[in-house]
Amino acid sequence: MVLNKQKLEAELWVEGKNTYLPFRLHIFESVASTNKTLWELLAQEPSSGCVIIAAEQTAGRGQWGRSWVSQKGGLYLSLAISPQLAINSGYQLTLATAWGIAEQLRKYGVDVEIKWPNDLVLDNRKLGGILTETKVRAGKITQAVIGVGINWKNPVPSTGINLYSWNNQGYSTKISCLEKLAAVVLMGIDSAIQCLEQEGVNILLSRYIKLLSNMGDTVEVDQDFSGTVVGVTSTGNLHLRKSNSVSDAVQESSFYLQPGTISLGYRKSSD
Ligand code: BTN
């Protein structure tokens, strides 16, 4: 199922501005990883706005060195951007992308939430994920590849969900084809990067947290240590608070978990 480039360009046409959103699209039948192909392209001509989309990936990359199973029917997309970010702010690109895509999908009737740090969830199941890779020059992140995988028609495990079957369960979304989904994802990333650059990380985080399904959950870090989720920091750490009763007083303490140190799992679904 190769995506139709002209159809996608039509979806990205901005009425009134008489222009496409600023993306250069490269569509492939099969690649090892769209992130890898994009880095290879950027080595020849570094430029922001290049997009690689593939119908399947044979060695899709997931977070924390995992692989991302990428059978035909899914959306596998990578976008190049040229941020000027401090090295310790790189994770903001992932948080921003998760928020931007979730927010945009919600505008199209898909009730997506975010599971910390980078999962897009629908009906408590994984709809998609984000893998951001960065290059550093003179102490700054100057180039980034934002990779997004979204389950459209591809087979998924029991903890996953694909949007096409959700659409067919009677939910009324305005996402009718893979090209529309790709356009919504690209528009979501574009608005997220604009939010980060123009409004700053604190505004971005306040929006991200509104869509975070884990807020208020109790997280068990180990057998005798748990806390309540109260937020996410600008480096992507999960902020937990713990209440201790000492004599008659209640003492509150905060602790933080880095992305990748704990998996929050999925809530039990009703079926
Ligand atoms: C995760 O582990 O949740 C993130 C998965 C990211 C997968 C996407 S698919 C397109 C891009 N190319 C890759 O090799 N990985 C990302």
Side-chain angles (χ1 to χ4, degrees), residues 33-35 57 60-63 68 77 118 126 129-130 147-149:
S33 150
T34 53
N35 275 26
Q57 300 183 115
R61 301 172 181 167
Q63 287 262 322
W68 183 258
L77 172 157
N118 71 322
K126 183 155 175 164
I130 295 146
V148 180

Side-chain angles (χ1 to χ4, degrees), residues 243-258:
S243 301
N244 297 313
S245 298
V246 181
S247 308
D248 280 344
V250 176
Q251 281 183 344
E252 295 234 307
S253 56
S254 278
F255 58 101
Y256 299 89
L257 297 173
Q258 281 180 4

Side-chain angles (χ1 to χ4, degrees), residues 9-266:
E9 281 174 344
E11 293 289 352
L12 292 169
W13 183 257
V14 183
E15 295 293 347
K17 284 193 183 167
N18 265 10
T19 177
Y20 297 112
L21 281 171
F23 305 116
R24 272 178 313 289
L25 307 172
H26 303 265
I27 316 279
F28 292 86
E29 179 89 45
S30 179
V31 296
S33 150
T34 53
N35 275 26
K36 180 171 180 280
T37 304
L38 187 48
W39 281 121
E40 285 161 5
L41 190 78
L42 292 173
Q44 291 156 26
E45 45 158 312
S47 66
S48 183
C50 268
V51 176
I52 304 281
I53 299 176
E56 69 170 358
Q57 300 183 115
T58 54
R61 301 172 181 167
Q63 287 262 322
W64 306 297
R66 297 188 193 132
S67 59
W68 183 258
V69 178
S70 310
Q71 288 162 279
K72 284 199 172 123
L75 177 67
Y76 312 109
L77 172 157
S78 299
L79 167 68
I81 59 163
S82 309
Q84 292 293 326
L85 272 179
I87 295 180
N88 65 355
S89 302
Y91 212 80
Q92 290 171 14
L93 297 172
T94 298
L95 301 177
T97 300
W99 167 75
I101 296 174
E103 182 77 4
Q104 199 69 23
L105 282 169
R106 293 171 78 89
K107 288 186 188 154
Y108 284 81
V110 187
D111 308 324
V112 172
E113 294 184 301
I114 301 166
K115 181 167 89 68
W116 179 80
N118 71 322
D119 283 359
L120 299 166
V121 292
L122 182 61
D123 278 354
N124 302 323
R125 298 191 182 98
K126 183 155 175 164
L127 177 69
I130 295 146
L131 173 68
T132 307
E133 298 171 334
T134 53
K135 278 227 160 76
V136 173
R137 209 175 180 177
K140 290 225 151 195
I141 296 171
T142 53
Q143 223 172 31
V145 164
I146 298 174
V148 180
I150 306 247
N151 300 320
W152 171 244
K153 268 190 187 175
N154 53 305
V156 290
S158 60
T159 51
I161 186 166
N162 77 36
L163 191 51
Y164 186 81
S165 53
W166 192 79
N167 268 344
N168 286 339
Q169 277 170 19
Y171 296 98
S172 65
T173 79
K174 296 178 203 122
I175 301 192
S176 51
C177 58
L178 189 58
E179 289 79 4
K180 183 82 196 175
L181 177 62
V184 167
V185 166
L186 286 170
M187 289 189 287
I189 305 174
D190 192 57
S191 71
I193 302 305
Q194 276 188 39
C195 171
L196 190 57
E197 286 178 353
Q198 291 165 19
E199 300 180 80
V201 68
N202 290 334
I203 298 278
L204 185 270
L205 283 175
S206 67
R207 294 177 182 166
Y208 172 95
I209 279 161
K210 280 192 191 140
L211 301 186
L212 189 65
S213 64
N214 315 101
M215 281 297 275
D217 283 358
T218 301
V219 172
E220 227 170 85
V221 179
D222 56 41
Q223 265 188 339
D224 37 29
F225 200 61
S226 64
T228 305
V229 176
V230 293
V232 172
T233 71
S234 62
T235 51
N237 292 352
L238 191 67
H239 181 184
L240 300 168
R241 197 162 284 151
K242 187 180 170 67
S243 301
N244 297 313
S245 298
V246 181
S247 308
D248 280 344
V250 176
Q251 281 183 344
E252 295 234 307
S253 56
S254 278
F255 58 101
Y256 299 89
L257 297 173
Q258 281 180 4
T261 52
I262 190 169
S263 172
L264 297 183
Y266 290 88

